[in-house]
């Protein structure tokens, strides 16, 4: 028996954490003068979207290794900025 099409539409497709962050960065950061964003902001955003903290931290680290984000240490807090390469990816 086939699945209920209404139920399928009610359940949004899961997006990877990197896709979610790229969407956020593209809409709110790209081409705007935004100060470095704390990791807690990203983790809270991802948490609200159903992404576990460990997965969020791994995503930030992966995006930094790939050159999409630059990590800056501010005391004990990590902050991130979009790199030129990251901006090019979003354009």
């Amino acid at each position: 028996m086939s699945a209920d099409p209404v139920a399928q539409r009610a359940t949004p497709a899961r997006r990877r954490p990197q896709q979610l962050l790229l969407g956020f960065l593209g809409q709110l950061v790209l081409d705007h003068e935004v100060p470095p964003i704390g990791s807690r902001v990203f983790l809270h955003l991802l948490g609200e979207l159903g992404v576990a903290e460990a997965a969020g931290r791994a995503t930030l680290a992966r995006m930094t290794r790939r050159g999409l984000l630059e990590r800056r240490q501010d005391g004990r807090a990590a902050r991130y900025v979009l790199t030129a390469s990251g901006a090019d990816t979003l354009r």
Side-chain angles (χ1 to χ4, degrees):
M1 182 172 255
S2 65
D4 180 8
V6 174
Q8 287 178 345
R9 282 188 301 230
T11 305
R14 286 261 182 209
R15 298 199 181 231
R16 294 185 355 209
Q18 182 171 317
Q19 291 174 315
L20 297 170
L21 286 184
L22 287 173
F24 169 78
L25 292 166
Q27 291 294 315
L28 301 173
V29 175
L30 182 65
D31 298 328
H32 296 87
E33 291 189 30
V34 177
I37 301 170
S39 60
R40 290 221 175 256
V41 173
F42 288 120
L43 295 175
H44 178 76
L45 171 70
L46 290 172
E48 289 293 316
L49 297 171
V51 177
E53 184 175 335
R57 289 187 186 283
T59 299
L60 288 171
R62 191 175 309 113
M63 291 176 73
T64 300
R65 278 194 311 274
R66 291 180 180 159
L68 301 172
L69 296 175
E70 178 186 319
R71 184 176 192 259
R72 297 181 181 173
Q73 201 65 34
D74 183 15
R76 291 185 55 164
R79 300 190 184 283
Y80 295 86
V81 294
L82 187 63
T83 64
S85 176
D88 289 344
T89 298
L90 292 171
R91 288 194 173 98

